[in-house]
Amino acid sequence: LESRIRAILNRRAAVGLAVGVVREGSLESFSGHGVADIATGTPVTEDTVFRVASITKTFTAIAVMQLWEQGLVDLDAPAGEYLRAYRLLPARPGFRPATLRHLLTHTAGVPEVAHPLLLGRPLFGETVPMGRPVPTPAEFYGAGLRIGAEPGRRFVYTDHGFTTLGQIVEDVSGRPFADYLREHVFAPLGMASTDLVRTARIRAALATGYELRSRGPRAVTDYEMVTAGASSAYSTTADMARYAAALLGGGANAHGS
């Protein structure tokens, strides 16, 4: 394992790298290289917090399926029946309704870019500088989220479908989406250092992001994500190991189910 990690670092330089191997339900091996922050020299450990980006989508999918297990949603019903915060707007009146199953499989016809005028901005305008208020999905989509293609006809990877699923979880459960994930996904699996928002616990252990320039690493501009249900989560190698163990174990790990 260490030999393979050294080979990776020889090909692709990195300020910090965390590698965990899950076996038989637990983190069998961990290897941390480099630092989580250059200025402080804080080493990378299994408890260093990183953004986990689109792994967030898998948390959101689990939340939707929990609602389905309870009979609160039908995967093949129109998603608009459960979405109360904003509307899904078909580009043509003849389009069939987009369902939860369509949203879960990136086949709802939702485009990759929600606002074409924001195409040139970082992550298509889905970010907000740290310290500024983050708009809700309803505020971000305004009149509604456009369905640009016939649902079920083609695959288009998009953050906005899973942002909408997160909003549906919130609308159906009556709980803020971050709270729902904390209570029904993270806490039962012992993932105490995983969250959708930057809590005090997350901030205390969060790695600094860097981009590598010709003169060395430079810290990237910090930001929050508007597309919470698709890309906002933070986690650690230790928590990701607990999550992987649960996925491999039919939904349960040593901490719970």
Side-chain angles (χ1 to χ4, degrees):
L1 177 63
E2 290 295 331
S3 175
R4 292 191 178 201
I5 292 170
R6 284 194 298 271
I8 291 170
L9 290 171
N10 283 335
R11 292 195 306 270
R12 298 182 180 275
V15 172
L17 175 69
V19 180
V21 177
V22 176
R23 184 169 180 169
E24 296 181 356
S26 65
L27 181 62
E28 180 185 70
S29 174
F30 172 79
S31 182
H33 290 257
V35 296
D37 183 82
I38 292 174
T40 63
T42 304
V44 171
T45 73
E46 63 185 65
D47 296 315
T48 298
V49 175
F50 296 93
R51 294 179 181 269
V52 296
S54 285
I55 292 175
T56 307
K57 293 180 175 68
T58 69
F59 302 148
T60 301
I62 288 174
V64 171
M65 296 307 293
Q66 287 177 337
L67 298 182
W68 173 79
E69 284 182 327
Q70 298 169 50
L72 297 176
V73 299
D74 180 344
L75 298 184
D76 295 308
E81 292 185 5
Y82 308 109
L83 182 63
R84 304 187 184 107
Y86 53 90
R87 295 188 298 157
L88 298 176
L89 304 174
R92 297 181 182 177
F95 283 175
R96 74 187 78 173
T99 66
L100 298 184
R101 192 183 301 274
H102 289 141
L103 292 170
L104 285 164
T105 57
H106 296 281
T107 59
V110 177
E112 186 177 6
V113 180
H115 298 304
L117 293 179
L118 301 179
L119 187 60
R121 293 181 58 185
L123 291 178
F124 309 135
E126 297 169 20
T127 64
V128 174
M130 189 59 59
R132 294 187 185 178
V134 179
T136 64
E139 293 168 340
F140 184 68
Y141 297 128
L145 178 60
R146 184 174 179 269
I147 303 292
E150 174 84 28
R153 294 293 297 274
R154 65 183 183 184
F155 174 95
V156 176
Y157 186 87
T158 171
D159 282 352
H160 306 294
F162 271 79
T163 300
T164 298
L165 288 168
Q167 184 63 59
I168 288 172
V169 171
E170 183 168 309
D171 289 346
V172 172
S173 70
R175 297 286 293 151
F177 186 51
D179 292 351
Y180 181 94
L181 288 181
R182 199 177 300 122
E183 295 162 5
H184 297 277
V185 180
F186 305 147
L189 296 180
M191 297 168 64
S193 295
T194 303
D195 214 306
L196 200 66
V197 295
R198 197 175 293 195
T199 62
R201 185 167 186 162
I202 296 298
R203 287 195 299 272
L206 182 62
T208 301
Y210 295 95
E211 57 183 354
L212 300 181
R213 296 294 189 90
S214 59
R215 296 185 179 181
R218 189 181 76 172
V220 299
T221 302
D222 206 359
Y223 58 82
E224 295 277 21
M225 296 297 300
V226 177
T227 51
S231 53
S232 290
Y234 302 88
S235 192
T236 65
T237 307
D239 273 7
M240 284 286 93
R242 296 181 182 103
Y243 184 52
L247 295 179
L248 293 168
N253 63 15
H255 296 269
S257 173

